[in-house]
Amino acid sequence: MSCYIQLSDPTLPGIIGLLNYRPETAKPLCALAEALLRTDEGLSALEREWIASYVSYLNGCHFCHTSHGAASCAHAHRSVDMIDEIEKGPASDQISNKLKALLVIAGQVQKGGKCVTEAAIHAARAAGATDLEIHDTVLIAAAFCMYNRYVDGLHTWAPAEREAYAEEGRQMAFEGYMRHF
Amino acid sequence: MSCYIQLSDPTLPGIIGLLNYRPETAKPLCALAEALLRTDEGLSALEREWIASYVSYLNGCHFCHTSHGAASCAHAHRSVDMIDEIEKGPASDQISNKLKALLVIAGQVQKGGKCVTEAAIHAARAAGATDLEIHDTVLIAAAFCMYNRYVDGLHTWAPAEREAYAEEGRQMAFEGYMRHF
């Protein structure tokens, strides 16, 4: 079944069709993604996309999970098979203890703002996370609770296969989120 | 207990302290609120703030629920007691059938993107909602699932009493969300 609203271009998948439909909201939505995901200040862009992809996985949003997963893979110069690793969350053995601890916080944010525990904050700090990294983790996780609901709440379509996201992921990683403005 | 991170100005409540802490993300967050809430295109600003306050109520976010409730009251030229009515959601008898139907959709978005039903979309359309109004309702509801998680996930403080939000609500309604930039 198709999107719940009549898009200007129904061939565009996921959030791309929605951004195209409503330019007034597209610009701040993309500016937020650019500010949150395209910097290495504290957390690297690779880690930021990893958090975004993991939260989207928890929300069951295939489009965001796979596209931001592909962006993380692009930063890592790895194939989209790395998304298997992202899905493991804090249980992955390919990430730092700091990122593991921040993924615990991200998973709590996904459940709800009030689910974030002081113990998880302390554990992240003990693993070396700064206030800025904790802040950015909470806001990335919160932002994907928005993007995911936007994409799935309006029932957009999404390519099934990971390989279809590889080029989009590279563009997100290296050209960024403001490239259409 | 205080905020999980050391804010630049710990006296600032709710999202205000967070926006002040991280200007890079503050600007797109405020630009998004301005685009979503400060227009009468389709839905009125009063209705937009009503949806924002109701979703924040469902998420248990006192700061956003009360401040956006106060903004809706300001648009309605009513006292903050009107927030009692906002809390009723689609059961309020002071709103149009269209807004009731859109609040059903907003409540589904609050649960998760995949919870939005075709039946709820059809009901909103039957009550006169346009595609743009359905789009904006889904995105407002989704956006407050972000703002609420940001505010509560970092454990910010918030004034308890509604009256403390009346002036802030007036400023949000009439001066907007970009007034600090």
Side-chain angles (χ1 to χ4, degrees), chain B residues 81-98:
Chain B
D81 292 342
M82 195 186 85
I83 296 175
D84 286 337
E85 205 56 38
I86 295 175
E87 292 176 1
K88 294 180 187 169
S92 168
D93 59 11
Q94 297 186 15
I95 56 177
S96 67
N97 286 333
K98 183 178 79 178

Side-chain angles (χ1 to χ4, degrees), chain B residues 38-56:
Chain B
R38 292 254 303 157
T39 172
D40 291 313
E41 188 186 357
L43 297 172
S44 69
L46 187 161
E47 291 170 317
R48 291 165 184 271
E49 295 283 4
W50 190 296
I51 295 167
S53 177
Y54 176 58
V55 170
S56 302

Side-chain angles (χ1 to χ4, degrees), chain B residues 65-83:
Chain B
H65 162 51
T66 316
S67 58
H68 289 279
S72 191
C73 297
H75 283 298
H77 304 288
R78 290 180 58 183
S79 83
V80 288
D81 292 342
M82 195 186 85
I83 296 175

